[in-house]
Amino acid sequence: RMHKIMGGEGGNALRNMLVSDPDSRPRAQDFFDRWLAESLRSFGRPGSPRSKRAIELGLRQRDSAEVIRDYLAALEPSVTACGLRLPSRAQLGLDLPAGVGLA
């Protein structure tokens, strides 16, 4: 749901706010970094036994690694348009799959 909001009216509102008040960008970046870490946690740990079991039971169609890659790729244009950046792996402190576009 939040992803849809960021890509739609919510993203436009955030972009407009940051354009009209560029001094708020560092604070917005801090909030975004925390929000992103929480949203990525919601997908679960990639390649974990729990993730594999969820796929076996039909609760998920694919591993968290694939979901995370797609999620970040879809989110990146909105983040860039807002003048923000994706945080580094170290900043997030999460076990993330290779090739997700984070430094």
Side-chain angles (χ1 to χ4, degrees):
R1 182 171 166 227
M2 186 63 181
H3 180 70
K4 279 185 169 181
I5 291 170
M6 273 298 289
E9 290 181 28
N12 291 335
L14 179 60
R15 232 179 348 266
N16 293 340
M17 180 192 78
L18 290 170
V19 167
S20 67
D21 183 13
D23 293 338
S24 66
R25 189 163 283 120
R27 187 166 168 233
Q29 184 69 56
D30 288 341
F31 283 121
F32 173 72
D33 293 351
R34 282 186 274 157
W35 168 80
L36 182 62
E38 290 302 317
S39 66
L40 292 175
R41 277 188 190 94
S42 74
F43 297 127
R45 183 169 291 166
S48 70
R50 287 179 127 176
S51 181
K52 291 176 185 173
R53 182 73 174 142
I55 293 168
E56 290 170 5
L57 294 171
L59 300 172
R60 287 189 176 172
Q61 294 181 355
R62 51 196 189 136
D63 187 72
S64 302
E66 295 174 53
V67 176
I68 290 170
R69 278 190 205 101
D70 290 349
Y71 181 72
L72 289 173
L75 187 62
E76 193 167 15
S78 294
V79 172
T80 302
C82 290
L84 301 175
R85 59 172 173 64
L86 292 174
S88 69
R89 289 171 176 272
Q91 285 174 293
L92 290 173
L94 301 174
D95 182 16
L96 296 173
V100 294
L102 299 175

